[in-house]
Amino acid sequence: MDNNLFKSKWSGIGFSQKDTDEKVLFVDIGREPETQRQINLYYYFLFIKDILQKAQAKDVLEIGCGRGTISLYLARHLNLKVSLLDLEPGALAIAKRNFEDYGQAANYYVGDACHTNLKNEAFDAVVSIGLAEHIDNTWQLFKEQYRLLKPGGV
């Protein structure tokens, strides 16, 4: 995984009005997605929502969260307890700001997706969008995700 690629991606995203489209891809309750990227993430959310509701998940970890859009959907739309993990502190800073803007709480962790150092069997569900293609050892990534799941987790 190229850490410089991640750093260059997140360092250019700020909090000015000009950066709004890049910073926030979340669509709030009662609104419709307007951009291609909003539509894409919104439909990921709808897919994940069904799985989490069937599993009766309450506590969810998003690994490789970036700006935390999926977790923000889970917290705001479904009232789930969410934790976010990313290797890049700048990405988590953006996620935290987005959560604050919508009055949502979360736990934030800077760490490696393949070695999170989080407690065994801590979450009802673990999600990630667009992460595996950035990991050299996907076997270790999935092994770590399963380690973090409570029995019966998804």
Side-chain angles (χ1 to χ4, degrees):
M1 173 174 13
D2 183 358
N3 288 341
N4 291 327
L5 175 66
F6 280 98
K7 287 181 182 180
S8 67
K9 175 181 178 179
W10 294 114
S11 66
I13 300 173
F15 296 111
S16 71
Q17 187 64 34
K18 179 183 89 159
D19 297 325
T20 300
D21 182 53
E22 182 64 20
K23 183 182 71 144
V24 181
L25 299 176
F26 173 74
V27 177
D28 205 3
I29 297 168
R31 301 203 52 186
E32 296 291 325
E34 296 176 0
T35 68
Q36 180 65 40
R37 291 170 41 165
Q38 286 176 339
I39 291 168
N40 187 27
L41 286 169
Y42 182 74
Y43 281 94
Y44 276 130
F45 160 67
L46 293 179
F47 175 75
I48 293 166
K49 172 186 164 184
D50 289 342
I51 294 168
L52 296 181
Q53 287 178 326
K54 286 177 186 171
Q56 298 179 353
K58 303 280 187 249
D59 195 354
V60 180
L61 171 67
E62 183 180 4
I63 294 181
C65 66
R67 65 181 54 82
T69 304
I70 293 299
S71 288
L72 186 53
Y73 275 117
L74 300 178
R76 180 102 170 139
H77 287 254
L78 301 179
N79 296 313
L80 297 179
K81 178 181 175 189
V82 296
S83 298
L84 295 82
L85 181 132
D86 201 282
L87 186 62
E88 180 54 47
L92 284 170
I94 293 168
K96 187 173 184 179
R97 174 77 180 267
N98 289 335
F99 268 70
E100 289 170 356
D101 287 349
Y102 288 96
Q104 300 300 304
N107 298 311
Y108 304 93
Y109 302 100
V110 174
D112 185 321
C114 295
H115 305 283
T116 64
N117 294 318
L118 298 174
K119 196 169 94 174
N120 291 343
E121 299 179 358
F123 301 95
D124 299 318
V126 177
V127 300
S128 61
I129 302 293
L131 173 65
E133 65 265 26
H134 298 288
I135 304 295
D136 293 330
N137 185 346
T138 54
W139 172 253
Q140 182 58 42
L141 171 66
F142 298 134
K143 182 178 172 185
E144 180 69 358
Q145 289 178 341
Y146 281 107
R147 183 188 70 75
L148 296 169
L149 286 175
K150 293 176 184 175
V154 294

